[in-house]
Amino acid sequence: TELAQKFSVCSWVRKLVSGSSNLWLSYGASSGIRDEFRMSDTGGYNYMFGSGNPIESSYTSRTSVGSWHHVCITWQYATRERLLYVNGEQIDSYTTPSGRRLAVGGCLLLGNDQYPACTVDTSTSEVFGGELYKLNFYSEVLNSTAIQLLSEDRCADTEVEFDSIRVIKWEEVLDETRSGNVQSIDAGCTSLKLIAVMEQDLQQARQNINELKEENNELKIEIEEASIRINTTSTQLETTQLR
């Protein structure tokens, strides 16, 4: 019920096939309509309460097959305003009908449409072919600064900074029931983060060595040897990162 009057949903999306109405997210409720809101990978069916603006050109010009992009939707009952952001930039606004709240008790479906609500559409024309990462729902309307921050680095755990309002978490989504050709794969982030942390450690080690040099010249030879070992390790890490 906390999402009935305002919410934000953000996700990293990577489409791998082209399509006209491939839906990566839909929410439907029997007390409302089959698609209370939904998102496609072309921008053509980014509807809320059954309608929306046709924004294919502005959406697809910012996305491409095989590349990751960050998408956020925000909405609130008080202003009736639904905003759409792609890669941290607001590209669309839509005014929803007066007095309309989000129907509760429905079903969230990833990768396809619902027809009727809470039933997977048997048609294959709207099946999403691609990858989703870090899809999270928030119980507040995120401002443009927060959305920009979330869109800057796919591998950063920026979403945890909003844990107090993160009500549906990607970690929980991964544990939900699946059907069809759906699988979990490596997000390709762990090794990069590990390298980044190790390089920070190396920088700290170099700083410590410089401080020791200033404090005690008698340790100069041993310190210089340690510095050479660290530089060698750094070269190996940088080579790994380039690979």
Side-chain angles (χ1 to χ4, degrees):
T1 57
E2 58 188 329
L3 302 180
Q5 299 201 56
K6 56 184 175 181
F7 70 86
S8 301
V9 55
C10 299
S11 180
W12 288 92
V13 182
R14 183 178 182 230
K15 58 182 179 181
L16 298 178
V17 295
S18 298
S20 59
S21 61
N22 298 9
L23 300 180
W24 56 268
L25 171 67
S26 68
Y27 172 74
S30 57
S31 58
I33 59 177
R34 72 167 189 172
D35 284 318
E36 287 287 283
F37 69 88
R38 62 180 183 173
M39 293 294 298
S40 77
D41 64 10
T42 64
Y45 290 85
N46 294 342
Y47 290 169
M48 186 155 190
F49 306 139
S51 59
N53 297 323
I55 56 165
E56 288 93 336
S57 59
S58 58
Y59 190 98
T60 55
S61 66
R62 292 166 173 81
T63 64
S64 60
V65 175
S67 297
W68 285 103
H69 55 280
H70 187 261
V71 181
C72 280
I73 317 161
T74 70
W75 171 81
Q76 58 180 324
Y77 170 77
T79 63
R80 298 166 53 198
E81 187 175 53
R82 193 272 286 143
L83 301 180
L84 172 64
Y85 297 79
V86 176
N87 297 329
E89 177 188 4
Q90 182 190 325
I91 68 167
D92 183 49
S93 64
Y94 175 72
T95 302
T96 58
S98 177
R100 186 66 158 85
R101 290 178 171 84
L102 188 70
V104 298
C107 300
L108 183 67
L109 181 65
L110 305 184
N112 205 346
D113 195 12
Q114 306 184 42
Y115 187 75
C118 297
T119 303
V120 178
D121 191 347
T122 56
S123 169
T124 59
S125 62
E126 296 184 329
V127 173
F128 171 69
E131 299 168 0
L132 300 176
Y133 188 48
K134 293 187 176 180
L135 189 153
N136 295 281
F137 275 77
Y138 306 88
S139 59
E140 298 287 342
V141 174
L142 297 177
N143 60 31
S144 58
T145 302
I147 291 173
Q148 177 63 46
L149 184 65
L150 287 167
S151 70
E152 287 177 352
D153 186 350
R154 183 173 63 89
C155 291
D157 295 325
T158 313
E159 66 277 0
V160 300
E161 298 181 23
F162 303 93
D163 264 0
S164 61
I165 59 171
R166 194 163 62 112
V167 292
I168 299 179
K169 302 179 178 180
W170 177 241
E171 308 91 276
E172 300 167 346
V173 172
L174 291 174
D175 292 331
E176 290 297 323
T177 303
R178 307 174 189 180
S179 63
N181 185 17
V182 182
Q183 56 184 314
S184 295
I185 61 175
D186 189 345
C189 288
T190 304
S191 60
L192 293 177
K193 287 200 297 184
L194 177 62
I195 288 173
V197 170
M198 292 179 70
E199 287 179 340
Q200 288 176 359
D201 291 342
L202 288 169
Q203 291 174 2
Q204 183 61 50
R206 293 190 184 102
Q207 181 179 342
N208 293 342
I209 287 172
N210 290 332
E211 291 174 355
L212 285 171
K213 286 182 178 180
E214 294 176 359
E215 292 175 1
N216 193 341
N217 289 330
E218 293 179 359
L219 295 176
K220 183 177 180 181
I221 295 176
E222 295 179 7
I223 291 170
E224 286 179 345
E225 290 176 352
S227 179
I228 292 172
R229 288 197 294 271
I230 290 174
N231 286 333
T232 302
T233 306
S234 176
T235 302
Q236 293 173 347
L237 286 170
E238 289 167 358
T239 302
T240 304
Q241 190 173 23
L242 288 172
R243 290 176 185 171

